[in-house]
Amino acid sequence: MRLLTSIAAALVEAWGELRVSRLRVMLSLIGVAVAVAALTAVTALGAIAEQSLREQQERFGGRPALLSLQPTNSAGEAADSALTTAAFDAAAERYGITHTSRTIMDQTLVQLPTGETPVQFQAFDADYVTMHRLAIREGRWFTDGDAERFAPAVVINRDLWQMLGEPDLSTHPHFPLSGVQPTTAVVIGVTGDDCQGGCPTMNLLYDDYQRVGFTPMDYGPDSYVPQPTYEAWVPPSQAKELMKRLDSSISASLGDGWQTNISRNDYAAYLDGDPLLPVKLGVGGVAGLVLLLGALGLVNISLVTVKYRVREIGIRRSFGATAGRVFFGVMMESVVATVVAGLIGVALAVAVMKSPLVSMMMSTPVQDLPPFPISAAIVGLVSATAVGALAGLVPALVAVRVKPIDAIRL
Amino acid sequence: MTLLRLEQVTRTVRIPDAEPLHILRGIDLEVEVGDHVSIVGRSGSGKSTLLNLLGLLDEPTSGRLVFDEIPLERMRSGQRDRRRGRDVGFIFQQFNLLGGRTALENVMTPLLYAGPAQFWRRRRLAAEMLDRVGLGSRLDSLPTQLSGGEQQRVAIARALVRGPRLILADEPTGALDVETGERVMALLDQVAEDSGAALITITHDPNVAALARRHYRLDQGILTPSGAEVRLEPALAAPTSAAAPALAPPVAPLAGPSTSGEVL
């Protein structure tokens, strides 16, 4: 009961002091709240920037670990597509690989309202979208059900969309595709990629690509004939082992003379350690500096008021406040104030981070927006509390050391 | 019953590159429960140092200080602080009310360091004590809204709210005009007498000192009895316990209503 009373009394005392010294507390609160808000917001922004950078890298080379396979033989011939696909699918099933895709890039002539136009295209399976974090501006990407459509679904880029007259996707815009089996492509989505109207591109499902049988472009007698690539998204920790196993499994299925070139092209394959460590260190440094400035402000305010505090504490000592109690009381005042300031700071940072302004600031929209960094908020609060304790330490130490009667007469 | 006893107490301060400063020399003093003692001395005579010792805020260089039959050297720092809070009430010349806090909050402050029985009833106890000193209607007034006399009455209520056995008044009327000072002293004397607390008044004002039953003079660190030498002003010459009711606001029993709105 006595201990409970002491704690309650210390809290009452701290609250009374906070209430009375509103201006000082407000100044302290503002400094610490801004520092904690900055610390938390900068850390959160860093996390978003880090995610944005990662997503850009993943769009380029795929998500770690992405294995690219291409069967070859000594004569440089292309492997039989159906046989390779069957071998690849069987191997993927055997090793529990959930995301796989075939992909090929080429060019074909497409009859557009503006005339016959060479259009670069890429064909892949539906998983490719996830494996490469493909972004879309309008409409949607492929689903497995799109393979059943009579008219192939295509996702085009902004240049091609403009050439089609910027149609509304709800009107199911379409254009003819020529090939062994001519058909009509239906636009289901538009990507943000463009090069100022000069490079129309489209994406379609690999099965549709095979069904249409695009007429090859005449690139000349020695031109390179595009070959399909098989991709598998596997856990990074198992990548090396799976590369060996897929090689032996697929090569064996294709027969003598065939081997499988397997490589990793994702960003993580080229980097040792944390590739974003410099970014993290930079962000952490800035955040630490911000908090240090806030702490200096608080210590400054505490020092300015030390004379007033010493006199008041001397009076309290004459009422029977022990040195420990005075120390604890002064600490509590400072800590209570900074914890409140820290909470306000975190709330401020959350409000800023959740505002649409942050998304607008990013050059490339982030697909998987990282959750608000709780660790940053905790670090901010703990730092604020520590700063409060340190700032309270100076007057508390002075007050405890000065003789009460002398303190009262200051 | 002896509450406080000083036996050959000295207090010496060492000063760098100078001779030690002997502030108090061989002080002998015995204060009984309910006693009223005045100590008169000029500035620099050692009054404040003696106040520190009497209030358990300092330790003698030599000699013995016994409080409630317990020698000071046998009390640890925390014990001494707690005993001071429980048994000693301070009244200062400059009132030393806590700024920004109402009269009620000021009087409640010592109860923050009291035990559960007083802490959890602090608001009621403080209000009752303010009522006793005639400030029952000024509970929510800030020190800046109170006159000098009222502020000192708040200080008296604050010093008495924990029911101390010893009241130390350091120049209690030093910041007040003569008339207000007389009223405050009368009140202090009566409240101390009602509560049975011993009152030690340290002052340089002979008129204030005259209200005490026993008188001492402190000169160059030496304390000597001086009862016959105190010069009394006519207004304060009457026996203190009889004069007090006429000078102070009527003092109500605990929890009794305030009957005075007079500004001291």
Side-chain angles (χ1 to χ4, degrees):
Chain A
M1 185 62 178
R2 182 163 279 280
L3 179 68
L4 180 70
T5 303
S6 294
I7 293 170
L11 285 170
V12 168
E13 192 179 335
W15 176 247
E17 180 57 34
L18 294 179
R19 194 174 51 80
V20 169
S21 311
R22 281 189 212 99
L23 183 62
R24 175 169 66 85
V25 172
M26 278 299 288
L27 287 170
S28 309
L29 283 181
I30 290 167
V32 176
V34 168
V36 171
L39 175 79
T40 315
V42 163
T43 311
L45 271 174
I48 292 174
E50 192 181 315
Q51 181 68 11
S52 173
L53 188 63
R54 182 178 289 125
E55 287 184 9
Q56 283 179 44
Q57 288 172 327
E58 288 176 354
R59 269 180 211 119
F60 181 73
R63 298 169 82 161
L66 197 94
L67 309 183
S68 295
L69 301 81
Q70 217 165 29
T72 59
N73 65 3
S74 53
E77 295 167 339
D80 178 75
S81 176
L83 197 60
T84 309
T85 301
F88 179 65
D89 288 347
E93 193 176 347
R94 185 178 311 138
Y95 298 119
I97 300 170
T98 54
H99 287 74
T100 59
S101 175
R102 300 159 291 176
T103 178
I104 191 165
M105 290 181 78
D106 204 348
Q107 203 169 14
T108 189
L109 288 169
V110 175
Q111 191 64 44
L112 298 175
T114 52
E116 196 170 58
T117 308
V119 173
Q120 193 175 352
F121 70 88
Q122 184 177 12
F124 44 72
D125 292 310
D127 283 351
Y128 188 92
V129 175
T130 307
M131 291 158 68
H132 284 262
R133 278 193 183 278
L134 295 185
I136 198 149
R137 186 171 162 270
E138 200 180 336
R140 63 173 178 85
W141 276 108
F142 307 115
T143 59
D144 288 335
D146 287 326
E148 310 299 322
R149 298 167 69 123
F150 289 115
V154 292
V155 174
I156 61 176
N157 76 342
R158 200 172 149 78
D159 289 343
L160 183 50
W161 179 66
Q162 284 171 336
M163 288 175 181
L164 288 171
E166 302 185 2
D168 186 347
L169 293 189
S170 63
T171 63
H172 307 293
H174 53 272
F175 55 87
L177 291 177
S178 57
V180 177
Q181 196 175 339
T183 185
T184 298
V186 178
V187 179
I188 61 165
V190 180
T191 68
D193 308 331
D194 66 34
C195 51
Q196 310 301 321
C199 48
T201 67
M202 66 175 178
N203 303 281
L204 71 164
L205 285 171
Y206 198 89
D207 287 341
D208 288 334
Y209 157 75
Q210 287 183 312
R211 203 163 62 222
V212 175
F214 288 107
T215 310
M217 294 275 289
D218 185 10
Y219 297 112
D222 297 325
S223 61
Y224 166 75
V225 178
Q227 297 296 323
T229 301
Y230 296 80
E231 292 186 348
W233 184 27
V234 300
S237 59
Q238 299 170 18
K240 277 189 180 173
E241 183 62 27
L242 283 171
M243 283 168 85
K244 286 182 200 164
R245 293 191 178 205
L246 286 172
D247 179 18
S248 59
S249 178
I250 295 170
S251 299
S253 299
L254 292 176
D256 288 342
W258 288 95
Q259 59 181 14
T260 312
N261 284 337
I262 305 185
S263 60
R264 269 185 74 177
N265 293 319
D266 60 273
Y267 72 93
Y270 302 103
L271 296 164
D272 189 21
D274 186 354
L276 298 163
L277 189 63
V279 177
K280 286 178 182 170
L281 286 176
V283 168
V286 170
L289 195 66
V290 167
L291 190 69
L292 183 67
L293 289 173
L296 283 175
L298 185 61
V299 170
N300 191 29
I301 291 169
S302 296
L303 283 172
V304 168
T305 55
V306 72
K307 189 174 175 182
Y308 161 76
R309 304 283 303 143
V310 165
R311 182 172 166 276
E312 186 202 302
I313 288 162
I315 296 168
R316 289 179 185 276
R317 291 297 305 273
S318 75
F319 298 155
T322 61
R325 176 63 185 275
V326 165
F327 203 88
F328 184 66
V330 174
M331 281 291 178
M332 285 292 288
E333 287 161 28
S334 198
V335 169
V336 167
T338 47
V339 166
V340 171
L343 287 171
I344 292 170
V346 169
L348 207 63
V350 171
V352 169
M353 295 312 299
K354 295 287 176 194
S355 75
L357 276 173
V358 175
S359 317
M360 286 163 65
M361 279 164 60
M362 293 285 160
S363 55
T364 314
V366 179
Q367 273 186 354
D368 293 343
L369 198 67
F372 190 83
I374 300 297
S375 59
I378 291 170
V379 167
L381 274 179
V382 169
S383 307
T385 309
V387 162
L390 279 174
L393 193 67
V394 180
L397 278 177
V398 173
V400 167
R401 290 169 72 109
V402 171
K403 288 187 174 149
I405 287 290
D406 297 333
I408 289 164
R409 288 185 172 170
L410 270 176
Chain B
M1 182 190 168
T2 303
L3 177 66
L4 180 70
R5 190 167 70 248
L6 276 71
E7 298 169 359
Q8 286 299 300
V9 165
T10 69
R11 186 72 178 94
T12 302
V13 176
R14 298 196 179 281
I15 301 169
D17 304 325
E19 289 290 309
L21 185 62
H22 302 287
I23 303 173
L24 297 176
R25 304 158 188 258
I27 304 281
D28 286 313
L29 178 67
E30 199 163 309
V31 179
E32 300 289 322
V33 172
D35 209 348
H36 186 170
V37 177
S38 69
I39 299 172
V40 180
R42 285 195 292 269
S43 298
S45 60
K47 294 197 302 288
S48 297
T49 306
L50 183 58
L51 183 78
N52 287 348
L53 288 170
L54 297 174
L56 311 182
L57 290 166
D58 199 2
E59 293 173 22
T61 307
S62 67
R64 286 185 90 209
L65 190 155
V66 182
F67 191 98
D68 202 16
E69 302 303 329
I70 302 171
L72 187 68
E73 66 268 19
R74 276 177 42 195
M75 291 186 212
R76 282 184 298 200
S77 172
Q79 282 178 308
R80 203 186 306 164
D81 290 332
R82 279 187 284 277
R83 182 165 282 275
R84 179 170 59 247
R86 193 178 65 219
D87 289 335
V88 183
F90 285 87
I91 297 166
F92 305 101
Q93 179 179 358
Q94 297 299 332
F95 322 133
N96 282 330
L97 298 184
L98 300 176
R101 291 169 180 81
T102 63
L104 184 67
E105 287 167 338
N106 262 283
V107 179
M108 281 185 345
T109 305
L111 298 171
L112 295 177
Y113 311 105
Q118 288 187 316
F119 172 75
W120 297 108
R121 291 163 55 226
R122 61 192 184 282
R123 184 169 290 275
R124 193 159 68 96
L125 290 174
E128 284 172 359
M129 188 50 71
L130 279 167
D131 203 28
R132 277 186 69 180
V133 299
L135 290 174
S137 59
R138 305 299 302 273
L139 301 184
D140 296 324
S141 299
L142 293 169
T144 50
Q145 297 166 327
L146 297 170
S147 68
E150 285 173 326
Q151 288 187 53
Q152 194 60 302
R153 281 158 66 188
V154 173
I156 290 169
R158 190 177 63 178
L160 294 171
V161 73
R162 287 189 67 182
R165 298 165 71 196
L166 173 64
I167 301 166
L168 292 175
D170 181 18
E171 303 281 10
T173 60
L176 304 174
D177 60 65
V178 174
E179 192 179 341
T180 308
E182 288 168 2
R183 289 169 187 246
V184 164
M185 274 313 298
L187 171 68
L188 177 59
D189 192 46
Q190 184 169 357
V191 171
E193 191 170 301
D194 287 351
S195 63
L199 172 63
I200 299 179
T201 310
I202 294 183
T203 181
H204 64 268
D205 184 347
N207 294 324
V208 171
L211 292 166
R213 285 194 285 279
R214 295 197 294 132
H215 312 281
Y216 286 86
R217 179 177 295 281
L218 187 63
D219 192 15
Q220 295 185 346
I222 298 170
L223 188 72
T224 51
S226 66
E229 298 168 21
V230 175
R231 180 175 57 84
L232 303 181
E233 292 294 328
L236 295 171
T240 54
S241 56
L247 295 167
V251 178
L254 276 177
S258 170
T259 55
S260 172
E262 183 185 5
V263 176
L264 285 180

Coordinates of all heavy atoms in Angstrom, one line a residue, chain B residues 60-112:
Chain B
P60 N 25.7 18.5 12.4 CA 26.7 19.2 13.1 C 28.1 18.7 12.8 O 28.3 17.5 12.5 CB 26.3 19.0 14.6 CG 25.4 17.9 14.6 CD 24.8 17.7 13.3
T61 N 29.0 19.6 12.9 CA 30.4 19.2 12.8 C 30.8 18.4 14.0 O 31.5 17.4 13.9 CB 31.3 20.4 12.6 OG1 30.8 21.2 11.6 CG2 32.8 20.0 12.3
S62 N 30.4 18.9 15.2 CA 30.6 18.1 16.4 C 29.5 18.3 17.4 O 28.6 19.2 17.1 CB 32.0 18.5 17.1 OG 31.9 19.9 17.5
G63 N 29.4 17.6 18.4 CA 28.3 17.7 19.4 C 27.2 16.7 19.0 O 27.3 16.0 18.0
R64 N 26.1 16.7 19.7 CA 25.0 15.8 19.5 C 23.7 16.5 19.2 O 23.4 17.5 19.9 CB 24.8 14.9 20.7 CG 25.8 13.8 20.9 CD 25.4 12.9 22.0 NE 24.6 11.8 21.6 CZ 23.7 11.2 22.3 NH1 23.4 11.7 23.5 NH2 23.0 10.2 21.9
L65 N 22.9 16.0 18.3 CA 21.6 16.5 18.1 C 20.6 15.3 18.3 O 20.8 14.3 17.5 CB 21.4 17.1 16.7 CG 20.2 17.9 16.4 CD1 20.4 18.9 15.3 CD2 19.0 17.0 16.0
V66 N 19.7 15.4 19.2 CA 18.8 14.3 19.5 C 17.4 14.8 19.2 O 17.0 15.8 19.7 CB 18.9 13.9 20.9 CG1 18.0 12.7 21.2 CG2 20.4 13.5 21.3
F67 N 16.7 14.1 18.3 CA 15.4 14.4 17.9 C 14.5 13.3 18.4 O 14.7 12.1 17.9 CB 15.2 14.6 16.4 CG 13.9 15.3 16.0 CD1 13.9 16.6 15.7 CD2 12.8 14.5 15.9 CE1 12.7 17.2 15.4 CE2 11.6 15.1 15.5 CZ 11.5 16.4 15.3
D68 N 13.5 13.6 19.2 CA 12.6 12.6 19.7 C 13.4 11.4 20.3 O 13.0 10.2 20.0 CB 11.7 12.2 18.6 CG 10.4 11.6 19.1 OD1 10.1 11.7 20.3 OD2 9.7 10.9 18.3
E69 N 14.4 11.7 21.1 CA 15.2 10.7 21.7 C 16.1 9.8 20.8 O 16.6 8.8 21.2 CB 14.3 9.7 22.6 CG 13.5 10.5 23.7 CD 14.4 11.3 24.6 OE1 15.5 10.9 24.9 OE2 13.9 12.4 25.1
I70 N 16.1 10.2 19.5 CA 17.0 9.5 18.6 C 18.1 10.4 18.1 O 17.8 11.5 17.5 CB 16.2 9.0 17.3 CG1 15.0 8.1 17.8 CG2 17.1 8.2 16.4 CD1 14.0 7.8 16.6
P71 N 19.3 10.0 18.4 CA 20.5 10.8 17.9 C 20.5 10.9 16.4 O 20.2 9.9 15.7 CB 21.7 10.1 18.4 CG 21.2 9.2 19.5 CD 19.8 8.8 19.1
L72 N 20.8 12.1 15.9 CA 20.8 12.3 14.5 C 21.7 11.4 13.7 O 21.4 10.9 12.6 CB 21.2 13.8 14.2 CG 21.1 14.3 12.7 CD1 19.7 14.4 12.3 CD2 21.8 15.6 12.6
E73 N 22.9 11.1 14.3 CA 23.8 10.2 13.6 C 23.3 8.8 13.4 O 23.8 8.0 12.6 CB 25.2 10.2 14.4 CG 25.2 9.6 15.7 CD 24.9 10.6 16.8 OE1 24.4 11.7 16.5 OE2 25.2 10.3 18.0
R74 N 22.2 8.4 14.2 CA 21.7 7.1 14.0 C 20.6 7.1 13.0 O 20.0 6.0 12.7 CB 21.2 6.6 15.3 CG 22.3 6.0 16.2 CD 21.9 5.5 17.5 NE 20.6 4.8 17.6 CZ 19.9 4.6 18.7 NH1 20.4 5.0 19.8 NH2 18.7 4.0 18.6
M75 N 20.3 8.2 12.4 CA 19.2 8.2 11.3 C 19.9 8.3 10.0 O 20.8 9.1 9.8 CB 18.4 9.5 11.5 CG 17.5 9.6 12.6 SD 16.5 11.1 12.5 CE 16.3 11.6 14.2
R76 N 19.4 7.4 9.1 CA 20.0 7.5 7.7 C 19.3 8.6 7.0 O 18.3 9.1 7.4 CB 19.8 6.1 7.0 CG 20.8 5.1 7.5 CD 20.6 3.8 6.7 NE 19.3 3.2 6.9 CZ 19.0 2.0 6.7 NH1 19.9 1.2 6.2 NH2 17.7 1.5 6.9
S77 N 19.9 8.9 5.8 CA 19.4 10.1 5.1 C 17.9 10.0 4.8 O 17.2 11.0 5.0 CB 20.2 10.2 3.8 OG 19.6 11.2 3.0
G78 N 17.4 8.9 4.3 CA 16.0 8.7 4.0 C 15.1 8.8 5.2 O 14.1 9.5 5.2
Q79 N 15.6 8.2 6.3 CA 14.8 8.3 7.5 C 14.7 9.7 8.0 O 13.7 10.1 8.5 CB 15.6 7.5 8.6 CG 15.4 6.0 8.5 CD 16.2 5.3 9.6 OE1 17.4 5.5 9.8 NE2 15.6 4.4 10.3
R80 N 15.8 10.4 7.9 CA 15.8 11.8 8.3 C 14.8 12.6 7.5 O 14.1 13.5 8.0 CB 17.2 12.4 8.2 CG 17.5 13.6 9.1 CD 18.9 14.1 8.8 NE 19.9 13.2 8.8 CZ 21.1 13.3 8.3 NH1 21.4 14.5 7.7 NH2 22.1 12.4 8.4
D81 N 14.8 12.4 6.2 CA 13.9 13.1 5.3 C 12.5 12.8 5.7 O 11.6 13.7 5.7 CB 14.1 12.7 3.8 CG 15.5 13.3 3.3 OD1 15.9 14.3 3.8 OD2 16.1 12.6 2.4
R82 N 12.2 11.5 5.9 CA 10.8 11.2 6.2 C 10.4 11.7 7.6 O 9.3 12.2 7.8 CB 10.7 9.6 6.2 CG 10.5 9.1 4.8 CD 10.2 7.6 4.8 NE 11.4 6.8 5.1 CZ 12.3 6.5 4.2 NH1 12.1 6.8 2.9 NH2 13.3 5.7 4.5
R83 N 11.3 11.7 8.6 CA 11.0 12.3 9.9 C 10.8 13.8 9.7 O 9.9 14.4 10.4 CB 12.1 12.0 10.9 CG 11.8 12.5 12.2 CD 12.8 11.9 13.2 NE 12.4 10.5 13.6 CZ 11.5 10.2 14.5 NH1 10.9 11.2 15.2 NH2 11.2 9.0 14.8
R84 N 11.6 14.4 8.9 CA 11.4 15.9 8.7 C 10.0 16.2 8.1 O 9.3 17.1 8.6 CB 12.5 16.4 7.8 CG 12.3 17.9 7.5 CD 13.5 18.5 6.7 NE 13.7 17.9 5.5 CZ 14.8 17.1 5.2 NH1 15.7 16.9 6.0 NH2 14.9 16.6 4.0
G85 N 9.6 15.4 7.1 CA 8.3 15.6 6.5 C 7.2 15.4 7.5 O 6.2 16.1 7.5
R86 N 7.4 14.4 8.4 CA 6.3 14.0 9.3 C 6.3 15.0 10.6 O 5.2 15.3 11.0 CB 6.5 12.6 9.8 CG 5.3 12.0 10.5 CD 5.6 10.5 10.9 NE 6.7 10.5 11.9 CZ 7.6 9.5 11.9 NH1 7.7 8.6 11.0 NH2 8.6 9.5 12.9
D87 N 7.4 15.3 11.1 CA 7.5 16.0 12.4 C 7.9 17.5 12.3 O 7.8 18.1 13.4 CB 8.5 15.3 13.3 CG 7.9 13.9 13.7 OD1 6.7 13.7 13.7 OD2 8.7 13.0 14.0
V88 N 8.3 18.0 11.2 CA 8.8 19.4 11.1 C 8.1 20.1 10.1 O 7.9 19.7 8.9 CB 10.3 19.4 10.8 CG1 10.8 20.9 10.9 CG2 11.1 18.6 11.8
G89 N 7.6 21.3 10.5 CA 6.9 22.2 9.5 C 7.7 23.4 9.3 O 8.1 24.0 10.3
F90 N 8.0 23.8 8.1 CA 8.8 25.0 7.8 C 7.9 26.2 7.4 O 7.0 26.0 6.6 CB 9.8 24.8 6.7 CG 11.0 23.9 7.1 CD1 10.9 22.6 7.1 CD2 12.2 24.5 7.6 CE1 12.0 21.8 7.4 CE2 13.2 23.7 7.9 CZ 13.2 22.4 7.9
I91 N 8.2 27.4 7.9 CA 7.6 28.6 7.5 C 8.7 29.6 7.1 O 9.6 29.8 7.9 CB 6.7 29.2 8.5 CG1 5.5 28.2 8.8 CG2 6.1 30.6 8.1 CD1 4.8 28.6 10.1
F92 N 8.7 30.0 5.9 CA 9.8 30.9 5.4 C 9.4 32.3 5.3 O 8.3 32.7 5.2 CB 10.2 30.4 4.0 CG 10.6 28.9 3.9 CD1 9.6 28.0 3.4 CD2 11.8 28.4 4.4 CE1 9.9 26.6 3.4 CE2 12.1 27.1 4.3 CZ 11.2 26.2 3.8
Q93 N 10.5 33.1 5.3 CA 10.3 34.6 5.2 C 9.6 35.0 3.9 O 8.7 35.8 3.9 CB 11.7 35.3 5.3 CG 11.6 36.8 5.2 CD 12.9 37.5 5.3 OE1 13.9 36.8 5.5 NE2 12.9 38.8 5.1
Q94 N 10.0 34.4 2.8 CA 9.4 34.7 1.5 C 8.3 33.8 1.1 O 8.0 33.6 -0.1 CB 10.5 34.7 0.4 CG 11.6 35.7 0.6 CD 11.1 37.1 0.6 OE1 10.1 37.5 0.0 NE2 11.8 38.0 1.3
F95 N 7.7 33.2 2.1 CA 6.5 32.3 1.9 C 6.8 31.0 1.1 O 6.5 29.9 1.5 CB 5.3 33.0 1.2 CG 5.1 34.4 1.6 CD1 4.9 35.4 0.7 CD2 5.2 34.8 3.0 CE1 4.7 36.7 1.1 CE2 5.0 36.1 3.4 CZ 4.8 37.1 2.4
N96 N 7.5 31.2 0.0 CA 7.9 30.1 -0.8 C 6.8 29.2 -1.2 O 6.8 28.0 -1.2 CB 9.0 29.2 -0.1 CG 10.4 29.9 -0.2 OD1 10.7 30.6 -1.2 ND2 11.2 29.7 0.8
L97 N 5.7 29.8 -1.6 CA 4.6 29.1 -2.1 C 5.0 28.6 -3.6 O 5.7 29.3 -4.2 CB 3.3 29.9 -2.2 CG 2.8 30.4 -0.8 CD1 1.5 31.1 -1.0 CD2 2.6 29.2 0.1
L98 N 4.5 27.5 -4.0 CA 4.8 27.0 -5.3 C 4.0 27.8 -6.3 O 2.7 27.8 -6.3 CB 4.5 25.5 -5.4 CG 5.3 24.6 -4.4 CD1 4.9 23.2 -4.6 CD2 6.8 24.8 -4.7
G99 N 4.6 28.4 -7.2 CA 3.9 29.3 -8.2 C 3.1 28.5 -9.2 O 3.3 27.3 -9.4
G100 N 2.0 29.1 -9.6 CA 1.1 28.4 -10.6 C 0.2 27.4 -9.9 O -0.6 26.8 -10.6
R101 N 0.3 27.2 -8.6 CA -0.6 26.3 -7.9 C -1.5 27.1 -7.0 O -1.0 28.1 -6.3 CB 0.2 25.3 -7.1 CG 1.0 24.3 -8.0 CD 2.0 23.5 -7.2 NE 2.7 22.6 -8.1 CZ 3.8 22.9 -8.8 NH1 4.2 24.2 -8.8 NH2 4.4 22.0 -9.5
T102 N -2.7 26.6 -6.8 CA -3.7 27.3 -6.0 C -3.3 27.1 -4.5 O -2.4 26.3 -4.2 CB -5.1 26.7 -6.2 OG1 -5.0 25.3 -5.8 CG2 -5.5 26.8 -7.6
A103 N -3.9 27.8 -3.6 CA -3.7 27.7 -2.2 C -3.9 26.3 -1.8 O -3.1 25.7 -1.0 CB -4.6 28.7 -1.4
L104 N -5.0 25.7 -2.3 CA -5.3 24.3 -1.9 C -4.2 23.3 -2.4 O -3.7 22.5 -1.6 CB -6.6 23.9 -2.5 CG -7.1 22.5 -2.2 CD1 -7.5 22.4 -0.7 CD2 -8.3 22.1 -3.0
E105 N -3.7 23.5 -3.6 CA -2.7 22.7 -4.1 C -1.4 22.8 -3.3 O -0.6 21.9 -3.1 CB -2.4 22.9 -5.6 CG -3.6 22.4 -6.5 CD -3.5 23.0 -7.9 OE1 -2.9 24.0 -8.1 OE2 -4.1 22.3 -8.8
N106 N -1.1 24.1 -2.9 CA 0.1 24.3 -2.1 C 0.0 23.6 -0.8 O 1.0 23.0 -0.4 CB 0.3 25.8 -1.9 CG 1.3 26.4 -2.9 OD1 2.5 26.3 -2.7 ND2 0.8 27.1 -3.9
V107 N -1.1 23.6 -0.2 CA -1.2 23.0 1.1 C -1.3 21.4 0.9 O -0.8 20.7 1.8 CB -2.5 23.5 1.8 CG1 -2.7 22.8 3.2 CG2 -2.4 25.0 2.1
M108 N -1.7 21.0 -0.2 CA -1.8 19.5 -0.5 C -0.4 19.0 -0.7 O -0.1 17.8 -0.6 CB -2.7 19.2 -1.7 CG -4.1 19.2 -1.3 SD -5.3 18.8 -2.6 CE -4.4 18.8 -4.1
T109 N 0.6 19.8 -1.2 CA 1.9 19.3 -1.6 C 2.6 18.5 -0.5 O 3.1 17.4 -0.8 CB 2.8 20.5 -2.1 OG1 2.1 21.2 -3.1 CG2 4.1 20.0 -2.6
P110 N 2.7 18.9 0.7 CA 3.4 18.1 1.7 C 2.8 16.7 1.9 O 3.5 15.7 2.2 CB 3.3 18.9 3.0 CG 3.1 20.3 2.6 CD 2.3 20.2 1.4
L111 N 1.5 16.6 1.6 CA 0.8 15.3 1.8 C 1.1 14.3 0.7 O 0.8 13.2 0.8 CB -0.7 15.6 1.8 CG -1.2 16.5 3.0 CD1 -2.7 16.8 2.8 CD2 -1.0 15.8 4.3
L112 N 1.8 14.8 -0.4 CA 2.3 13.9 -1.4 C 3.4 13.0 -0.9 O 3.7 12.0 -1.4 CB 2.8 14.7 -2.6 CG 1.8 15.5 -3.4 CD1 2.5 16.3 -4.5 CD2 0.8 14.6 -4.0

